[in-house]
Structure formats: C-alpha cells, structure tokens
Amino acid sequence: MRDGLELLVDLADADIEWLLRHGEEVQVIANTTIVTEGEVPSHLVFVLQGLLGVRISSLAGQRLGTLGPGEILGEMSFLEGLPASATVSAVENSLLLRIPVAQLEDTLAGDRGFAARLYRALAVTGSRRLREREAHWSGLFAGRESATGKCRDVWERLEPGISRLKSLLQEADRAALQVGGDVPTEFIRAIGDGFPAFIRELNDTIGDQSGLEASVRDEVGTRVQREVLPYLLLTRTAERLYAKPRGYAGDFLSIDWMYDDVAAGTGRLGRHLDRAFLDEPAAAAVRNRRALLVREIQRHLDATPDRAVHLTVMACGPAREIFDVYEQLGDPSHLHVNLIDIDQEALAQVNAETERRELGSQVHAHHGNLVYLALGRQQLELPPQDLMYSIGLIDYFNDKLVGRLIDWAHGCLRPGGELILGNFHPRNPDKALMDHVLDWRLIHRDEEEMHALFENSRFGSRCHAIHFEDAGVNLFAVGQKR
C-alpha cells in the first residue's frame, strides 16, 4: 500500500501512516463501479494497484481516460462539495484505499501541516491530470477528420451485416406471431447460421487484428452495441454476462449455465438467440475446459497411486470438474481438494454439492482473496500441493499481478508439482463481441506470453507444456516446479 501512496510525493511519512491507519483497503474486481456520476462520494479513494476507467454520460458512456497507481478519486467533490462529474469503474482487478471524507475533514481541521500537504498533493494531481487531458484531446482533435472518416468507412462495411441480422430476427418474430408464438424451424436454422456469420464479420472488421486504431474500434463498437445489444438482452446467458450481477461476467452461475448448455431467454426470440450464443466458440471453450481439467487431474491421480493427491483450485466457481473426477474415482480419499473463491455464493454452492455427495472429508472450501494471497496480505495454510490451477482467473489480471500469483502458487507446490493457468487466446473469434457488445473485456494471451509469465517467475523456465481445449480458444499453460 505504501508504494502506491508514496507516488504522492508531497505527503510526509506521518501523513501516509495516518492514511494507512484510518483507510480501508479494498480489492475490487473488473467492471466494479467505484464512483458514480451525479452522486457525492463518501470516501476519498487512492489507487494502489490496477487500472480504472473514467466515463461521462454526456458522451454516451465512452471512456475518457484511465487512472492508475498514485491517482486519487473523488478529490474534486472533496474540494468543492459537489457531486462527482464522472463515473469511474475498474478496468481490471484493482487495489484501492478508501478514506472516509468526514473523518479526514475533522483531522485536517486540527492539523494544518497535514492539510497543506494533502491539498497540495490534490492540486498537483489535478494539474497533472488536466495537462494529460489537454494533450489527449489536442491529439484527438488534430486527427479528428481522419478518425471520423475511418469510423464512417468501417461502419459502412458493417452496417449491411447488422441490417441483415436485425431483419432476420424481425422476420422470425413476425413468423412466430403468425403461428401462435413459436419460431418456425426454418427461422431457427437461419438464426443459427446468421448469428455466427455476423460475429465473424464483426471480429474481422473491428477485432484486435483488424489493423484499426483502438479509438476507431471503440467508436464503431459502441455503435454496434446500440444496434445489437437489445436483442442479446433477450437471452439468458449473454444478458447475465453483460449485466454482471456479481461484479464480473464469468461468475459461478454464468459458468454453470454454459456448462449445462441449455438455452433460455425471454420473448419469442430469446431462447433461440441464446442457443446461437451458446454455440459460439467462446462458450464452447468454457464447456471444453471442464473436460480438459478432468483429464489433467486424472493424470496426477494415475501417476500417484500410493498416496493421496493434494489439489488447489484458485477461483473455483462451481468447480464442476472436481465433482466429475469424484464420480469416476473409486476411492475418494485418493484426492484432497482445496477450493478458493472470493464469492461467498460460489462457495455456498460448492459446499452444498460437497455435502450432498458426502465429500466433506476430502473437499474444503476457503473464502479467499487471491490478490491478497498473491501480495502476502492474506495467509492460507496448505500442505504441499501436487497440482494447482485456475480456469478463468488470470485473463482478468495484468502481467505483474499474474506473476505474483504464480510465485505464490510456486511456494505452495511440492517439488515436481504443477501449476496450470487457463487463458483466452488472441485468436478467439468472439473477442470483438465480448469487448464491444457485452463489455466482457479480458486479457487474451498467446503461447509466448504464457511462456514469458512462467519464465519471469519463481519457476524460472518456459512452460512445461501448453494445451488447448477442443475449440482452440482457451489455452492452458503448465508449469512444473523443479
């Protein structure tokens, strides 16, 4: 925490100690709203680690900029006593320090030195931010005509495909009305063909490998979202991924629904669009990785027949692959599992399943913050582990934090033990849909990037192996402790 606060060079050590002593350290996951436009913040917030995005409603929620370590949130409202002028949300999992405004104001009233240093720090931060915004907007407006022309050209390439998809859905809805509410079979097939065709076109046109500047992709993506999202909100699965009721898209229930592969939704079209979405490679990859992990766990069980295998799942979610393994396992005592998750509802679900299957002696759930564990701010006593893995965790984290998590896992493994990390690959054909329509932005990594993560960690070498699930969208990097 001190590292983040010391970026505010005007503060004395005593000032930092006061902030650390009276502040509340909070870890937020990606897409969590921290400051809401139009509301008066009750806390002054210091960014210790991570990245936050700033948006304002008058620009249709477009991101104006980002805030990183050393930045302060709510300082304008603190100084002026006015509501926040922008909404600030986490772009990635971030670590914050929240200071109650009322308590801070009382302290500053009695400590003029602290007050002078803090107000100067706020002024310098605001001045620096203003200069950065001026430089940003100057560059933006300097090339505005060119950027506008590019956006128009890209939109003209995409608009026919969007019109075809919308027309198809409207025709299917009218046909359903004419026959009592059920979409005719020929339209169901047409949706099953037309939806993926549009998603491929979208990814080719504004995906990361399109060659377009990020600003053009984002602007066109925002327009695509306005056109397409209302239809996807009729589905059960895509609607939850967009809504993020647990604070992030891939929560335990979203994963459970993709595992079950049962389409559902609202209205006449919802179920059929949900079916088309569940058939997309990204959703198929989620289902496939379950079987891949079952095979990896079974490999360790087969290699260690004479003793119990110790396994830890990081960000376990519904942990369905674990219960799949126990269904095939003749002797449950051969496998001891620790499940770690920050979501109490996910843990409640796995605890209920553990109790139903009478596996209480073998499966233990832990309410743990993996960011805190990686940073040494939380402790979890584990026996030496044979295997540790995460399926859908690190694609929310930047490289630095992933490196810390890898180092923590390395310390938990026995010699010869393995760490498996799953990540979406950049060739994911649904990435543009996820980024621009569902606001489900993940860090995609290729093989070389995964090798570098392990090479720069305590493992000190490239991955022992890299596996892909059958859709080729999720890769799984394996590191072996020497």
Side-chain angles (χ1 to χ4, degrees), residues 11-228:
L11 297 183
D13 286 346
D15 305 335
I16 294 177
E17 290 298 334
W18 188 95
L19 294 171
L20 293 175
R21 190 166 60 253
H22 294 88
E24 176 192 11
E25 184 184 349
V26 178
Q27 190 262 324
V28 296
I29 55 182
N31 300 308
T32 300
T33 298
I34 299 152
V35 174
T36 302
E37 182 178 351
E39 297 182 6
V40 178
S42 59
H43 292 77
L44 199 62
V45 180
F46 294 84
V47 183
L48 303 180
Q49 293 180 349
L51 191 66
L52 313 180
V54 182
R55 301 174 186 268
I56 60 174
S57 58
S58 61
L59 291 180
Q62 290 189 34
R63 188 188 297 173
L64 294 182
T66 55
L67 305 175
E71 293 281 8
I72 309 171
L73 313 183
E75 81 285 358
M76 292 171 61
S77 296
F78 174 71
L79 293 171
E80 301 173 316
L82 297 175
S85 59
T87 293
V88 182
S89 304
V91 174
E92 61 187 31
N93 290 27
S94 302
L95 192 62
L96 312 174
L97 185 69
R98 304 196 320 155
I99 312 296
V101 167
Q103 187 175 11
L104 180 60
E105 288 176 336
D106 288 344
T107 299
L108 296 180
D111 188 338
R112 293 184 177 180
F114 184 13
R117 291 185 294 272
L118 181 62
Y119 286 130
R120 175 173 170 76
L122 296 180
V124 170
T125 298
S127 177
R128 184 185 73 243
R129 195 178 295 167
L130 179 60
R131 291 178 186 275
E132 291 172 353
R133 294 293 178 272
E134 286 176 343
H136 170 75
W137 288 109
S138 295
L140 186 63
F141 283 115
R144 183 173 181 177
E145 184 176 348
S146 173
T148 301
K150 286 182 180 178
C151 290
R152 183 171 55 249
D153 292 343
V154 174
W155 175 254
E156 287 176 355
R157 297 207 306 270
L158 273 176
E159 197 275 334
I162 294 174
S163 294
R164 283 194 300 272
L165 178 63
K166 291 172 65 176
S167 295
L168 168 62
L169 296 174
Q170 290 163 7
E171 290 172 16
D173 196 49
R174 280 195 298 270
L177 282 172
Q178 292 171 0
V179 295
D182 292 330
V183 176
T185 302
E186 63 268 24
F187 281 102
I188 295 174
R189 286 198 296 266
I191 292 171
D193 294 336
F195 183 76
F198 167 70
I199 300 308
R200 299 296 87 75
E201 182 183 9
L202 180 69
N203 208 59
D204 290 343
T205 307
I206 63 170
D208 290 353
Q209 298 175 10
S210 64
L212 297 171
E213 299 94 329
S215 59
V216 173
R217 288 188 277 118
D218 285 343
E219 184 170 336
V220 175
T222 298
R223 192 168 177 182
V224 173
Q225 185 186 55
R226 293 195 198 106
E227 298 290 331
V228 176

Side-chain angles (χ1 to χ4, degrees), residues 342-421:
I342 195 173
D343 190 338
Q344 292 277 26
E345 287 195 16
L347 295 177
Q349 176 174 304
V350 296
N351 279 330
E353 186 67 11
T354 297
E355 183 177 349
R356 187 182 75 81
R357 294 172 180 263
E358 299 182 347
L359 294 171
S361 298
Q362 285 78 42
V363 180
H364 303 280
H366 305 274
H367 183 233
N369 185 322
L370 285 156
V371 173
Y372 287 0
L373 288 167
L375 297 177
R377 302 199 59 79
Q378 183 178 343
Q379 303 299 319
L380 181 61
E381 295 299 324
L382 297 172
Q385 298 293 294
D386 296 285
L387 175 63
M388 300 180 72
Y389 69 81
S390 77
I391 298 180
L393 171 67
I394 68 167
D395 26 28
Y396 288 93
F397 291 166
N398 61 32
D399 286 359
K400 183 177 180 181
L401 189 50
V402 174
R404 298 289 292 271
L405 186 66
I406 292 174
D407 286 346
W408 175 76
H410 182 276
C412 297
L413 291 171
R414 69 170 70 249
E418 291 183 344
L419 171 65
I420 303 177
L421 297 178

Side-chain angles (χ1 to χ4, degrees), residues 31 233 237-249 251 438:
N31 300 308
L233 293 180
T237 312
E239 190 277 338
R240 185 177 180 88
L241 293 170
Y242 174 77
K244 303 170 186 63
R246 305 298 297 164
Y248 60 107
D251 64 43
L438 298 179

